[in-house]
Amino acid sequence: MTWTSADIPDLTGRIAVVTGANGGLGLACTVALARSGAHVVMAARDPAKTDDARAAVLAQVPGASLEHVPVDLGAQASVRDAAAAIAAAHPRIDLLLANAGVMAMPERRTEDGFETQLAVNHLGHWTLISRLLPSLVAAPAARIVTTTSIARLNAENVDPANPHLEGRYEDWRSYGRSKLAALQLAFGLDDALRTAATPARALCAHPGISRTDLQKRTVREGGGGRQGPFWEAYAEQRGMHPDEGALPQLRAATDPHARGGTLWGPRWGLSGAPTRRFLLRRASIEAGIPALWEASIALTGERMDVEAAAAAARAKEDTA
């Protein structure tokens, strides 16, 4: 049977955090979650764009419960500030959709000196999740969903000795690597959540090709080489509507039958109904997780300490 947003269970009373919630797939996820009763924290960078997105959500879901927390995933200080604001307001978080990202950007560095695609697509979410772990493990059954891409299929693991691809940068190489990291983050985190005996689970989703601004931005900013215009045209002509492209993330986040440590995506690869995707090279993917953890901790200073978060949550329950 085809799974649609109508299959999302009642989320009344649930807290959801969506990065990149002011456009594309993030906005589609926000609408669907709000329609199902969730309070959605719209974690997004551009205040004016987010105001417009909020108005668009309210036009479709009158009375939607929404909140904007500004965050620039490419700046670690901004991510920490956002995480602190979210955690202070929400001691329990039920859903976190790590959706925001950039694709095939020209070589650039963030204010922290990080390669931009690694910074935005992985390191920003690494720090956000790490800082929100106490709220996530405090929820009855939290879901953390990262967002990958088929570009991961030919990607290499993050190398702690050269995390920014200095001297060997290529826009698609960097993008694929960051999206492989998203998959490895979900698998490594889910394993840690299970080991710590928490009810939270981590999953990963890929949206196929959708008609969003992702491909257009790549071309606007001079990235993607010859492939950039091709994928821009492909998305415009054959890509799914954002409401369809968002379904793998939404199913991973809300389907009670979706197990942690799994990948969800369109049935036909680039399009189709959301379904579980099976991995042929899972062992090799998992083999790169320790190096990703090493590089992520070294760069951000965030240890992704699930055990400590779980212990704190249990201590809080005992004193309640």
mmCIF file of all heavy atoms in Angstrom, residues 5 8-11 28-38 40 57 59-61 64 243:
data_model
loop_
_atom_site.group_PDB
_atom_site.id
_atom_site.type_symbol
_atom_site.label_atom_id
_atom_site.label_comp_id
_atom_site.label_asym_id
_atom_site.label_seq_id
_atom_site.Cartn_x
_atom_site.Cartn_y
_atom_site.Cartn_z
ATOM 1 N N SER A 5 1.034 11.332 3.492
ATOM 2 C CA SER A 5 1.001 12.138 4.710
ATOM 3 C C SER A 5 -0.271 11.904 5.512
ATOM 4 O O SER A 5 -0.315 12.197 6.709
ATOM 5 C CB SER A 5 1.153 13.626 4.378
ATOM 6 O OG SER A 5 0.115 14.054 3.511
ATOM 7 N N ILE A 8 0.269 9.760 8.616
ATOM 8 C CA ILE A 8 0.959 10.248 9.804
ATOM 9 C C ILE A 8 0.002 10.168 10.991
ATOM 10 O O ILE A 8 -1.126 10.653 10.907
ATOM 11 C CB ILE A 8 1.435 11.703 9.608
ATOM 12 C CG1 ILE A 8 2.442 11.783 8.457
ATOM 13 C CG2 ILE A 8 2.062 12.246 10.895
ATOM 14 C CD1 ILE A 8 2.859 13.202 8.118
ATOM 15 N N PRO A 9 0.415 9.554 12.080
ATOM 16 C CA PRO A 9 -0.489 9.464 13.237
ATOM 17 C C PRO A 9 -0.702 10.825 13.891
ATOM 18 O O PRO A 9 -0.017 11.803 13.578
ATOM 19 C CB PRO A 9 0.253 8.505 14.175
ATOM 20 C CG PRO A 9 1.680 8.610 13.783
ATOM 21 C CD PRO A 9 1.705 8.880 12.314
ATOM 22 N N ASP A 10 -1.624 10.876 14.794
ATOM 23 C CA ASP A 10 -1.900 12.118 15.538
ATOM 24 C C ASP A 10 -0.650 12.502 16.336
ATOM 25 O O ASP A 10 -0.129 11.714 17.127
ATOM 26 C CB ASP A 10 -3.087 11.888 16.473
ATOM 27 C CG ASP A 10 -3.446 13.138 17.274
ATOM 28 O OD1 ASP A 10 -3.053 14.244 16.856
ATOM 29 O OD2 ASP A 10 -4.107 12.993 18.321
ATOM 30 N N LEU A 11 -0.174 13.708 16.120
ATOM 31 C CA LEU A 11 1.039 14.187 16.783
ATOM 32 C C LEU A 11 0.749 15.287 17.802
ATOM 33 O O LEU A 11 1.656 16.007 18.216
ATOM 34 C CB LEU A 11 2.031 14.712 15.747
ATOM 35 C CG LEU A 11 2.505 13.705 14.692
ATOM 36 C CD1 LEU A 11 3.441 14.380 13.700
ATOM 37 C CD2 LEU A 11 3.200 12.506 15.344
ATOM 38 N N ALA A 28 7.583 21.588 3.346
ATOM 39 C CA ALA A 28 6.584 20.530 3.152
ATOM 40 C C ALA A 28 6.467 19.662 4.406
ATOM 41 O O ALA A 28 5.358 19.287 4.815
ATOM 42 C CB ALA A 28 6.952 19.679 1.945
ATOM 43 N N CYS A 29 7.593 19.343 5.033
ATOM 44 C CA CYS A 29 7.559 18.578 6.280
ATOM 45 C C CYS A 29 6.853 19.361 7.379
ATOM 46 O O CYS A 29 6.062 18.803 8.153
ATOM 47 C CB CYS A 29 8.979 18.235 6.730
ATOM 48 S SG CYS A 29 9.800 16.950 5.759
ATOM 49 N N THR A 30 7.126 20.657 7.448
ATOM 50 C CA THR A 30 6.508 21.497 8.467
ATOM 51 C C THR A 30 4.998 21.498 8.332
ATOM 52 O O THR A 30 4.262 21.359 9.321
ATOM 53 C CB THR A 30 7.058 22.933 8.376
ATOM 54 O OG1 THR A 30 8.475 22.905 8.613
ATOM 55 C CG2 THR A 30 6.390 23.845 9.384
ATOM 56 N N VAL A 31 4.504 21.663 7.109
ATOM 57 C CA VAL A 31 3.059 21.657 6.868
ATOM 58 C C VAL A 31 2.453 20.335 7.313
ATOM 59 O O VAL A 31 1.436 20.296 8.029
ATOM 60 C CB VAL A 31 2.761 21.920 5.386
ATOM 61 C CG1 VAL A 31 1.272 21.692 5.091
ATOM 62 C CG2 VAL A 31 3.156 23.341 4.989
ATOM 63 N N ALA A 32 3.075 19.216 6.898
ATOM 64 C CA ALA A 32 2.517 17.897 7.210
ATOM 65 C C ALA A 32 2.524 17.627 8.712
ATOM 66 O O ALA A 32 1.543 17.091 9.260
ATOM 67 C CB ALA A 32 3.310 16.820 6.470
ATOM 68 N N LEU A 33 3.594 17.983 9.391
ATOM 69 C CA LEU A 33 3.675 17.746 10.830
ATOM 70 C C LEU A 33 2.701 18.634 11.596
ATOM 71 O O LEU A 33 2.040 18.189 12.539
ATOM 72 C CB LEU A 33 5.103 17.984 11.309
ATOM 73 C CG LEU A 33 6.159 17.012 10.771
ATOM 74 C CD1 LEU A 33 7.557 17.488 11.156
ATOM 75 C CD2 LEU A 33 5.918 15.593 11.281
ATOM 76 N N ALA A 34 2.603 19.900 11.175
ATOM 77 C CA ALA A 34 1.661 20.807 11.824
ATOM 78 C C ALA A 34 0.228 20.354 11.606
ATOM 79 O O ALA A 34 -0.607 20.431 12.517
ATOM 80 C CB ALA A 34 1.859 22.228 11.289
ATOM 81 N N ARG A 35 -0.064 19.878 10.413
ATOM 82 C CA ARG A 35 -1.419 19.395 10.114
ATOM 83 C C ARG A 35 -1.778 18.198 10.998
ATOM 84 O O ARG A 35 -2.960 17.981 11.324
ATOM 85 C CB ARG A 35 -1.528 19.025 8.636
ATOM 86 C CG ARG A 35 -2.926 18.556 8.217
ATOM 87 C CD ARG A 35 -3.013 18.320 6.735
ATOM 88 N NE ARG A 35 -3.059 19.569 5.984
ATOM 89 C CZ ARG A 35 -2.236 19.903 4.996
ATOM 90 N NH1 ARG A 35 -1.269 19.066 4.645
ATOM 91 N NH2 ARG A 35 -2.361 21.055 4.361
ATOM 92 N N SER A 36 -0.775 17.434 11.392
ATOM 93 C CA SER A 36 -1.018 16.269 12.245
ATOM 94 C C SER A 36 -1.001 16.615 13.721
ATOM 95 O O SER A 36 -1.095 15.717 14.566
ATOM 96 C CB SER A 36 0.027 15.187 11.943
ATOM 97 O OG SER A 36 -0.079 14.763 10.594
ATOM 98 N N GLY A 37 -0.841 17.902 14.042
ATOM 99 C CA GLY A 37 -0.977 18.349 15.422
ATOM 100 C C GLY A 37 0.306 18.656 16.155
ATOM 101 O O GLY A 37 0.271 19.081 17.313
ATOM 102 N N ALA A 38 1.464 18.465 15.509
ATOM 103 C CA ALA A 38 2.733 18.726 16.188
ATOM 104 C C ALA A 38 2.988 20.221 16.334
ATOM 105 O O ALA A 38 2.541 21.028 15.513
ATOM 106 C CB ALA A 38 3.880 18.088 15.410
ATOM 107 N N VAL A 40 5.793 22.703 15.733
ATOM 108 C CA VAL A 40 6.987 22.620 14.892
ATOM 109 C C VAL A 40 7.909 23.801 15.162
ATOM 110 O O VAL A 40 7.510 24.965 15.030
ATOM 111 C CB VAL A 40 6.625 22.572 13.398
ATOM 112 C CG1 VAL A 40 7.895 22.396 12.562
ATOM 113 C CG2 VAL A 40 5.646 21.442 13.111
ATOM 114 N N VAL A 57 2.352 28.238 5.842
ATOM 115 C CA VAL A 57 1.873 27.111 6.643
ATOM 116 C C VAL A 57 0.511 27.430 7.251
ATOM 117 O O VAL A 57 -0.427 26.614 7.191
ATOM 118 C CB VAL A 57 2.879 26.762 7.765
ATOM 119 C CG1 VAL A 57 2.317 25.646 8.652
ATOM 120 C CG2 VAL A 57 4.213 26.329 7.175
ATOM 121 N N ALA A 59 -1.684 29.440 6.190
ATOM 122 C CA ALA A 59 -2.722 29.491 5.163
ATOM 123 C C ALA A 59 -3.271 28.097 4.878
ATOM 124 O O ALA A 59 -4.453 27.937 4.549
ATOM 125 C CB ALA A 59 -2.158 30.105 3.885
ATOM 126 N N GLN A 60 -2.419 27.086 5.004
ATOM 127 C CA GLN A 60 -2.845 25.704 4.761
ATOM 128 C C GLN A 60 -3.355 25.015 6.019
ATOM 129 O O GLN A 60 -4.219 24.130 5.949
ATOM 130 C CB GLN A 60 -1.680 24.891 4.188
ATOM 131 C CG GLN A 60 -1.171 25.389 2.851
ATOM 132 C CD GLN A 60 -0.018 24.544 2.351
ATOM 133 O OE1 GLN A 60 -0.184 23.379 2.029
ATOM 134 N NE2 GLN A 60 1.164 25.151 2.282
ATOM 135 N N VAL A 61 -2.792 25.407 7.154
ATOM 136 C CA VAL A 61 -3.161 24.783 8.433
ATOM 137 C C VAL A 61 -3.481 25.894 9.433
ATOM 138 O O VAL A 61 -2.642 26.256 10.275
ATOM 139 C CB VAL A 61 -2.022 23.892 8.967
ATOM 140 C CG1 VAL A 61 -2.504 23.085 10.176
ATOM 141 C CG2 VAL A 61 -1.470 22.973 7.897
ATOM 142 N N ALA A 64 -2.000 26.381 13.139
ATOM 143 C CA ALA A 64 -0.786 25.581 13.288
ATOM 144 C C ALA A 64 0.079 26.146 14.408
ATOM 145 O O ALA A 64 0.202 27.360 14.572
ATOM 146 C CB ALA A 64 -0.003 25.568 11.982
ATOM 147 N N ASP A 243 5.903 18.120 -1.735
ATOM 148 C CA ASP A 243 5.053 17.344 -0.828
ATOM 149 C C ASP A 243 5.325 15.853 -0.963
ATOM 150 O O ASP A 243 5.226 15.098 0.015
ATOM 151 C CB ASP A 243 3.570 17.617 -1.111
ATOM 152 C CG ASP A 243 3.142 19.010 -0.705
ATOM 153 O OD1 ASP A 243 3.931 19.701 -0.029
ATOM 154 O OD2 ASP A 243 2.034 19.419 -1.083
#
